[in-house]
Amino acid sequence: MIRQILGKGRRAPLSVASENDGLQEDVGRTQPSATDALPLIRLQQLTKRFGWIPALQDVSCELHGGQIVAILGANGSGKSTLLKLCAGLLRPSEGNIQVAGWQLPKEAAQVRAHIGYAGHEIFLDESFTIQENLSFFAHCYGSAGKLRVDHSLGRLGLAKFAELAVRQLSRGRQQLVDIARATLHGPELLLLDEPLNHLDVVAEDVVVQMMKDARDSGSLILWVTHESSRVAAIADRVLLLHAGRLVVDEAGQVAETDWPATLKATLCQEMMNRSA
Amino acid sequence: MKITFVQAVMLILRRDLIFDIRNRQRLWIIFLFAILNTFVFSFALELQHILRREVVVGVFWTTILFASLLGFERQGSEGSRQRMSQAIKLAPLPRLAIFYGQLLANWLITLCLLLFTVLLQSGLFNARLWHMDFWLASLLGSLGLVTIGTTLTTMFSHISVRVGVMSVLLIPLILPILLTCVRFTLATQSELPVRNEWVALLVLQDIILLILTSWLYPHLIDE
């Protein structure tokens, strides 16, 4: 089910999942090509400061749908900040963010339905059951329906825990439920901040497969991670942040030369793995 | 299938009420404060019946104000509620629907507190609290109180010094409406007819507060 955002020709195509396509959300979507489609995300000289401390400096890039983009970098390099800016949870200090042609945060209302975000914190009510949490968010996104919630729970292997309160679950399962919440409405832009943390091997594979499925259906997945071993196997594109600056984009074009040797070595290894 | 404004309001209202009922901490705090405050004043003010009727208005509104303030501070510091609020921020719900849903939930809880306090104090202070005008004053006054409280809770939801800041800001902001309520409810304690000016003044203040906070809230919630 495809819908062009009407009214402004510059907008990139976004599909809208409806209640009916809950169980076949991947069917019928167009997969934007990196060359002919408008970028789903366009960052222009994006800067974010917390007080006087710069978290992100002068980041520019364009990202298209149908890709898994891994964002690497040391702790405090600005990865999570970048994700929150793309989700509209933070306002940029300088520069522009466009999602599907809409300016964030000014025009955030137009794109909220198409963004899914799962961060470090679990965005769930701990006193509610899994079913209640997901039903609430399904209603919020206008995709009400037990079928959609059940499908999401089944896909992540959570169906048998549906009636348990979130506080009764292990941290790993809570994380899975949060990922289910973020993906419930079949978002075009999926923002995942270290989604594989706290997960066992089986759950990791389930989440990775879910990311691949989303990519294949035309979604853009921004994946913040430290797991360089997984990156080579999964990601279509790699962004490396250092001290808030985008130092490497995709094919290893080095924008700055003073980034740490450990990160450089890691990335070089990943690039070699990818090319192999 | 886009959710309508009213559906969004009801969705938030229902969630907030269920959250408060299940977590209970906020409800315990405000109702316990109401009981303690009423009993302390009841023992402290061993006055004649006529004087008690006038004093009870002050005791009543002090109880409601500080119990509500404790409730708002508790609401702002609940981690689970704050995390859920972040997820709600991400959802394509109209910002005003989120505000009105939270406002209605807070108002309903405050109305329960009002009823509870009236039950307690009408017996202990022998006051005329089951009076139509008294309830009108309480409804309008509590609406103003929760409008400011809900807005401030959102404003300070990410600030760790919230406890002090909430009190410092809420009390001066609520003062005009609180003084009107006290004068209005005091008038209901006498045998004389209540002047319509008090009602008009309260309605006007509520409307101004609702317009201002409705304009302010979308800016507050988005950072």
Side-chain angles (χ1 to χ4, degrees):
Chain A
M1 182 164 293
I2 306 298
R3 191 187 76 172
Q4 292 279 343
I5 297 290
L6 299 173
K8 297 190 181 181
R10 66 194 170 95
R11 310 306 190 202
L14 287 174
S15 71
V16 175
S18 70
E19 189 175 0
N20 295 333
D21 63 2
L23 302 180
Q24 45 184 346
E25 59 195 330
D26 301 342
V27 178
R29 282 187 181 174
T30 49
Q31 183 162 340
S33 131
T35 52
D36 60 9
L38 283 170
L40 197 54
I41 292 184
R42 177 179 284 150
L43 308 177
Q44 292 171 311
Q45 296 176 312
L46 186 64
T47 297
K48 177 65 185 176
R49 282 185 287 272
F50 295 106
W52 294 104
I53 303 166
L56 214 57
Q57 298 182 74
D58 209 20
V59 172
S60 299
C61 68
E62 291 186 351
L63 305 168
H64 291 82
Q67 288 187 322
I68 295 175
V69 179
I71 304 175
L72 296 170
N75 291 333
S77 58
K79 306 182 299 295
S80 298
T81 303
L82 178 61
L83 235 58
K84 285 181 179 174
L85 284 162
C86 292
L89 283 172
L90 293 174
R91 286 172 183 271
S93 304
E94 287 168 30
N96 289 313
I97 312 169
Q98 283 182 9
V99 175
W102 303 98
Q103 192 84 27
L104 289 184
K106 200 168 69 178
E107 299 174 306
Q110 278 81 358
V111 289
R112 275 192 200 108
H114 307 282
I115 298 177
Y117 171 85
H120 282 293
E121 287 184 309
I122 304 296
F123 283 176
L124 299 166
D125 191 328
E126 290 169 8
S127 61
F128 283 47
T129 65
I130 296 176
Q131 182 82 40
E132 286 170 333
N133 268 294
L134 296 186
S135 295
F136 172 77
F137 284 105
H139 280 98
C140 284
Y141 284 87
S143 53
K146 198 170 178 299
L147 274 179
R148 180 169 278 272
V149 173
D150 289 347
H151 172 64
S152 189
L153 288 174
R155 190 170 58 169
L156 291 168
L158 293 165
K160 59 186 171 187
F161 307 109
E163 297 306 323
L164 288 180
V166 171
R167 65 161 66 102
Q168 293 176 288
L169 301 174
S170 67
R171 181 63 177 78
R173 288 217 175 100
Q174 288 182 356
Q175 177 130 333
L176 274 179
V177 180
D178 201 39
I179 292 169
R181 172 196 60 72
T183 55
L184 195 61
H185 54 294
E188 294 290 310
L189 173 58
L190 184 55
L191 307 165
L192 299 172
D193 198 346
E194 301 186 37
L196 306 183
N197 282 8
H198 310 289
L199 300 186
D200 59 35
V201 181
V202 177
E204 270 187 19
D205 289 341
V206 169
V207 173
V208 166
Q209 189 55 48
M210 185 214 68
M211 286 163 64
K212 286 178 178 172
D213 290 345
R215 171 191 53 194
D216 295 342
S217 66
S219 298
L220 167 64
I221 296 105
L222 287 193
W223 173 35
V224 167
T225 183
H226 290 290
E227 299 193 41
S228 48
S229 56
R230 285 270 192 182
V231 168
I234 302 167
D236 303 300
R237 182 172 172 179
V238 179
L239 304 179
L240 178 66
L241 289 170
H242 173 59
R245 292 186 184 276
L246 181 61
V247 290
V248 175
D249 182 1
E250 206 162 21
Q253 296 158 348
V254 180
E256 275 196 5
T257 53
D258 60 344
W259 39 289
T262 47
L263 279 178
K264 187 178 177 181
T266 304
L267 192 79
C268 287
Q269 184 61 50
E270 283 160 8
M271 291 300 169
M272 283 167 60
N273 290 344
R274 280 155 60 81
S275 57
Chain B
M1 189 184 71
K2 200 180 175 189
I3 188 167
T4 66
F5 187 86
V6 176
Q7 283 175 326
V9 171
M10 297 312 291
L11 195 62
I12 300 294
L13 167 66
R14 185 173 173 272
R15 191 206 74 90
D16 271 20
L17 286 178
I18 293 174
F19 181 93
D20 277 318
I21 290 165
R22 286 200 186 159
N23 287 280
R24 288 194 284 274
Q25 290 170 341
R26 182 175 168 223
L27 298 180
W28 270 115
I29 286 171
I30 61 175
F31 284 99
L32 198 61
F33 178 84
I35 293 168
L36 288 175
N37 201 45
T38 302
F39 276 101
V40 167
F41 273 107
S42 171
F43 284 111
L45 302 171
E46 290 185 3
L47 305 169
Q48 292 180 347
H49 286 321
I50 302 294
L51 197 52
R52 277 195 171 201
R53 278 189 180 180
E54 298 190 351
V55 168
V56 73
V57 172
V59 177
F60 177 78
W61 282 107
T62 307
T63 307
I64 299 301
L65 173 67
F66 285 100
S68 302
L69 182 58
L70 285 173
F72 289 131
E73 284 177 346
R74 180 70 215 169
Q75 186 180 20
S77 63
E78 283 165 332
S80 183
R81 190 194 291 267
Q82 294 311 318
R83 286 192 292 276
M84 191 77 165
S85 297
Q86 291 287 306
I88 292 171
K89 264 174 72 173
L90 291 167
L93 297 177
R95 279 10 197 167
L96 281 183
I98 300 173
F99 175 59
Y100 290 134
Q102 291 175 341
L103 179 74
L104 283 176
N106 284 336
W107 198 25
L108 279 175
I109 288 169
T110 308
L111 289 179
C112 291
L113 173 70
L114 278 166
L115 182 65
F116 180 73
T117 311
V118 165
L119 281 170
L120 269 179
Q121 297 189 350
S122 58
L124 285 169
F125 291 95
N126 190 32
R128 297 174 64 217
L129 299 181
W130 297 101
H131 192 283
M132 198 60 192
D133 289 326
F134 176 84
W135 280 103
L136 186 60
S138 300
L139 277 174
L140 294 171
S142 59
L143 178 60
L145 177 64
V146 296
T147 304
I148 295 175
T150 306
T151 311
L152 289 183
T153 307
T154 306
M155 189 188 283
F156 295 112
S157 57
H158 301 295
I159 299 178
S160 54
V161 290
R162 188 185 310 108
V163 174
V165 179
M166 275 284 282
S167 314
V168 167
L169 268 177
L170 188 130
I171 292 172
L173 285 173
I174 198 66
L175 206 57
I177 212 162
L178 188 68
L179 292 179
T180 315
C181 280
V182 170
R183 298 298 300 178
F184 185 5
T185 40
L186 199 58
T188 65
Q189 297 301 298
S190 70
E191 303 298 331
L192 298 171
V194 178
R195 291 191 305 178
N196 286 334
E197 285 84 350
W198 294 121
V199 182
L201 196 56
L202 272 178
V203 170
L204 183 68
Q205 290 185 72
D206 280 347
I207 290 172
I208 291 171
L209 280 175
L210 279 171
I211 291 171
L212 278 177
T213 49
S214 298
W215 170 78
L216 193 61
Y217 188 83
H219 300 284
L220 293 175
I221 196 175
D222 283 329
E223 183 143 21

